[in-house]
Amino acid sequence: MDDDGYRATTSRRAMEASGGQSSVFIKSGFVKFMRPPTPVRFSKNPMDMYPKGTKALAALMKRLSDTDDVRLLVMIWAMHTLQGKRAAIARNYIRFPREAYNAQIGSLYFAPKWEMETLVTLTLNTPKYVFPAHVRDPIDTEEFSHFAHLLNLVKKVEDDESRQHVNLDTIMREFHKLGHRQFPWQTGWDNIASVYRHIFIYGDGPCAKHFEDTYGLSVSDFVGCAFALYVQMGLSPFNPALEAVPFAVADGAIAKTLAMVSQDLYRARAESRALYAKFRNSLGPIPLAYHPSYLRMKPIIRYTGAKNHYIAPFPELVLMRATVGLYYDLIGASTSVMNHARTRFEVYAREVIKAYCPEFDPEPAIKYKHKNSDAETPDVLLKRAGQVVSVFECKATKLSFQAQYGDDPAEDARDQYKQIANAVFQLWRFFSHVRRGIINVPLAEEVNAVVLTMEPWTQTSKELRKKMIEEAEKIAVVKEPEMTEADKRTPLFVSINELEYVLGHSDGDQMLATFKTATEDRYAGWGAREVRRDLGNMPEKVKRYPFTPGAFLPWWDHAETRARDRLAVAKETAEEE
């Protein structure tokens, strides 16, 4: 692909330095666009239309300042919709070339969602109408070419900033940040696995009670109303307040949910700027690509006109708030509530392995005494034919902003990364205690040591994994001086999302082979998903996710039946036509 249409932010040499994983990142190239129906000239360089010496950031902020916020949000909603399952709806809100219809990754007309989210963030953070009316130059928000120009300005700013802080010494840390920015958008939140997993862990027992005591509605009603909002917000950028849902919820549940996931535009702007200031104060200047997104907190924006209307530029973020976001609703909860969530994660890990691969017997931790103190094995002892073939230490700790986007994550989020290092130590201590006869557990000839996390704490970062192991070494010197090098087996850092992928694409032997291969030096820094793909012999049919959210959400099966019925009617209609 030539430079005219798609230009990489990082050099080919830097991409090669990533250990062969460049394919998992989407190169940040300029979006191709048609000549607009205005006299303004566009080219591959978005700065060509500005006076020489104009900085890209200044030009971008002026265009955003000059353009009405609601129009900008509608334009981004339309572009997002244009590339999704309801692309035809976008025709009502933006003019676009044929090639842009339902454009996918790899197309010159594709606009990455993470870059559009950055555009929304900057829209909220940019002061409005700072220039006199006669010199304002607003974007035509109904024209694809103008959107392309705006997004290309974002890319140009990111390019300019990357030249200042990215080099061959820092490129691997940059891949870590890029991964956190891009990968969640690629895997998405509107899938059954994400819904079930987060409800199982954060929406049950004491966690559910804490949520209901705090917000005055149940987790089930909150998630149900959020689903209804997700559907509503995907049909139009102009939405009245939701008044009813097609299943039973408690009185007031809809209004309470809407209050939790939405904010008035004026306050959203103020709170978005405050969010940026908070992290800037702790991390220093933050590149545009990594500005914190207010939409992750309040994915729906309310604006006033003839009446109140609501818009969600990215409707799936409503689902993210109602699933992934449940963790943040537990902040401030008692220790017993948080411990319950951690225990649920361990239970989920055992159940999902058994459901995908019945040949395994995942057993919980064994408690025992050591030096007159309580001790226990890792959280999951994975057995096959009576022998332990893998051990998992589970960590449900959520990634903080500092852990994702700090220049030195291990230091910027030291307390959280120390928990990951401690998990490595706990795995090593298990092997040491088995070797020394302190506890009798039958081990297979090869046993994998896995740190299983809710979030991808060390994705694409060989450097971070090395630091975690070094920190575990320090802990071992103090707490377990009898430990030998043989006990310190190479740990795997696997997120639950990656584990589910491997389970869904493997039989038992292939899963164990993936874990074993991932410990080889040539795969240092690789994720379990990528290692599994590299091993090849992928199945023709992926295993179906084994659980249904209906186990926790009483309305789920009803909604799923209605969806199937609508799909069947649509199919019959299409066949008749």
Side-chain angles (χ1 to χ4, degrees):
M1 188 173 295
D2 61 29
D3 187 63
D4 285 343
Y6 214 64
R7 185 162 62 83
T9 299
T10 52
S11 69
R12 182 178 299 277
R13 186 159 56 115
M15 298 294 274
E16 290 172 350
S18 70
Q21 293 196 77
S22 60
S23 62
V24 300
F25 292 104
I26 306 305
K27 297 180 180 180
S28 181
F30 293 140
V31 176
K32 186 172 182 179
F33 45 79
M34 296 169 57
R35 184 177 301 281
T38 66
V40 178
R41 183 174 69 86
F42 288 83
S43 75
K44 69 176 184 179
N45 184 352
M47 299 310 297
D48 282 355
M49 64 174 286
Y50 298 100
K52 188 175 181 179
T54 301
K55 298 293 185 182
L57 182 58
L60 174 60
M61 293 185 69
K62 182 180 186 303
R63 300 309 292 273
L64 293 176
S65 177
D66 291 350
T67 307
D68 178 74
D69 275 348
V70 173
R71 288 181 177 275
L72 285 166
L73 293 176
V74 171
M75 175 185 67
I76 293 167
W77 179 94
M79 280 302 306
H80 176 56
T81 303
L82 181 62
Q83 298 180 159
K85 299 175 182 177
R86 299 188 175 102
I89 300 176
R91 296 182 187 277
N92 300 319
Y93 305 100
I94 193 167
R95 298 180 295 274
F96 55 87
R98 182 182 65 258
E99 295 87 348
Y101 186 85
N102 201 25
Q104 301 299 309
I105 289 177
S107 167
L108 297 178
Y109 296 85
F110 177 76
K113 297 176 183 180
W114 50 91
E115 292 180 354
M116 289 195 282
E117 186 179 16
T118 294
L119 187 54
V120 173
T121 298
L122 194 58
T123 296
L124 294 176
N125 292 349
T126 299
K128 300 304 295 184
Y129 305 128
V130 298
F131 298 96
H134 68 279
V135 296
R136 292 177 191 163
D137 186 17
I139 289 292
D140 181 352
T141 57
E142 295 181 2
E143 174 57 54
F144 179 89
S145 298
H146 286 238
F147 166 81
H149 175 66
L150 206 57
L151 198 65
N152 285 343
L153 280 175
V154 171
K155 297 170 187 291
K156 183 66 169 65
V157 173
E158 293 181 5
D159 280 358
D160 292 345
E161 291 181 334
S162 68
R163 291 190 186 96
Q164 299 174 19
H165 67 271
V166 179
N167 53 52
L168 289 179
D169 293 327
T170 63
I171 187 64
M172 292 314 300
R173 273 178 278 173
E174 198 67 16
F175 274 118
H176 175 74
K177 297 180 188 179
L178 286 171
H180 286 302
R181 185 191 186 197
Q182 294 186 12
F183 292 171
W185 275 113
Q186 294 181 38
T187 55
W189 301 277
D190 49 352
N191 59 78
I192 291 177
S194 179
V195 174
Y196 180 90
R197 184 192 321 125
H198 288 95
I199 301 299
F200 184 97
I201 295 168
Y202 302 125
D204 174 73
C207 295
K209 185 177 186 306
H210 173 80
F211 184 94
E212 188 161 359
D213 290 344
T214 302
Y215 296 108
L217 78 162
S218 68
V219 170
S220 175
D221 283 358
F222 172 62
V223 177
C225 293
F227 258 87
L229 286 167
Y230 160 68
V231 174
Q232 180 195 30
M233 296 295 152
L235 296 175
S236 170
F238 303 104
N239 298 283
L242 187 66
E243 295 181 349
V245 295
F247 41 81
V249 294
D251 290 342
I254 299 173
K256 290 174 182 177
T257 299
L258 193 55
M260 291 175 64
V261 301
S262 69
Q263 186 56 276
D264 171 78
L265 176 58
Y266 179 81
R267 292 191 63 184
R269 290 176 59 81
E271 291 177 5
S272 180
R273 290 193 294 269
L275 183 66
Y276 171 76
K278 171 187 173 182
F279 291 115
R280 190 188 188 285
N281 290 339
S282 62
L283 295 175
I286 304 171
L288 178 64
Y290 309 126
H291 282 197
S293 173
Y294 181 74
L295 293 181
R296 302 300 179 96
M297 299 169 56
K298 303 276 189 175
I300 300 177
I301 303 297
R302 184 176 75 253
Y303 56 95
T304 56
K307 61 178 74 174
N308 282 345
H309 279 89
Y310 297 80
I311 180 171
F314 307 100
E316 57 264 66
L317 291 185
V318 179
L319 293 187
M320 192 219 75
R321 172 62 186 86
T323 53
V324 179
L326 287 175
Y327 172 85
Y328 299 102
D329 294 315
L330 299 181
I331 293 176
S334 66
T335 301
S336 62
V337 171
M338 299 306 294
N339 285 341
H340 177 78
R342 297 184 188 104
T343 300
R344 292 292 287 174
F345 179 46
E346 296 164 13
V347 173
Y348 177 79
R350 295 196 294 269
E351 291 188 1
V352 78
I353 294 172
K354 185 67 175 179
Y356 270 118
C357 291
E359 66 196 84
F360 290 122
D361 293 311
E363 296 184 356
I366 299 172
K367 298 182 185 297
Y368 60 100
K369 288 286 186 180
H370 175 53
K371 296 181 178 178
N372 297 321
S373 297
D374 292 331
E376 63 178 43
T377 66
D379 299 314
V380 180
L381 303 177
L382 189 63
K383 288 185 176 181
R384 185 163 69 169
Q387 292 186 314
V388 172
V389 292
S390 291
V391 290
F392 297 76
E393 183 64 24
C394 301
K395 293 296 177 184
T397 308
K398 293 287 287 183
L399 276 164
S400 64
F401 183 84
Q402 293 89 336
Q404 295 175 79
Y405 301 117
D407 287 334
D408 186 358
E411 189 58 40
D412 294 328
R414 183 170 181 77
D415 289 345
Q416 290 119 321
Y417 272 105
K418 194 167 184 178
Q419 293 182 44
I420 306 301
N422 192 60
V424 176
F425 163 73
Q426 289 170 302
L427 291 167
W428 290 349
R429 183 181 62 184
F430 167 74
F431 292 116
S432 177
H433 284 190
V434 171
R435 174 183 57 81
R436 291 151 56 194
I438 296 171
I439 181 173
N440 182 24
V441 177
L443 300 184
E445 185 176 342
E446 293 182 350
V447 183
N448 304 295
V450 182
V451 178
L452 183 65
T453 58
M454 271 291 285
E455 307 250 296
W457 279 85
T458 63
Q459 68 179 4
T460 72
S461 180
K462 178 181 178 180
E463 179 182 354
L464 264 178
R465 297 179 185 189
K466 182 180 178 182
K467 286 185 177 181
M468 295 306 96
I469 293 172
E470 290 173 350
E471 186 67 28
E473 294 269 13
K474 296 176 184 177
I475 298 172
V477 168
V478 175
K479 292 188 174 182
E480 202 77 21
E482 302 90 347
M483 190 179 292
T484 66
E485 289 302 313
D487 300 325
K488 300 173 184 176
R489 307 196 183 192
T490 302
L492 305 177
F493 299 89
V494 181
S495 71
I496 189 65
N497 222 328
E498 291 178 306
L499 177 62
E500 288 170 356
Y501 178 89
V502 173
L503 288 168
H505 292 77
S506 308
D507 57 25
D509 289 337
Q510 290 170 328
M511 187 191 81
L512 295 178
T514 298
F515 287 166
K516 178 183 177 182
T517 304
T519 64
E520 298 175 11
D521 290 342
R522 64 193 177 108
Y523 287 107
W526 286 51
R529 179 189 287 106
E530 284 67 49
V531 174
R532 175 66 189 95
R533 289 173 180 163
D534 200 57
L535 284 178
N537 196 24
M538 299 292 279
E540 293 183 4
K541 186 176 181 180
V542 179
K543 297 179 188 176
R544 184 183 178 88
Y545 185 72
F547 306 123
T548 172
F552 299 100
L553 305 173
W555 51 265
W556 181 271
D557 292 336
H558 171 73
E560 199 170 36
T561 300
R562 282 172 58 92
R564 281 197 299 266
D565 291 344
R566 287 196 300 269
L567 186 62
V569 170
K571 185 177 180 181
E572 289 176 6
T573 303
E575 290 175 351
E576 290 175 0
E577 294 177 351

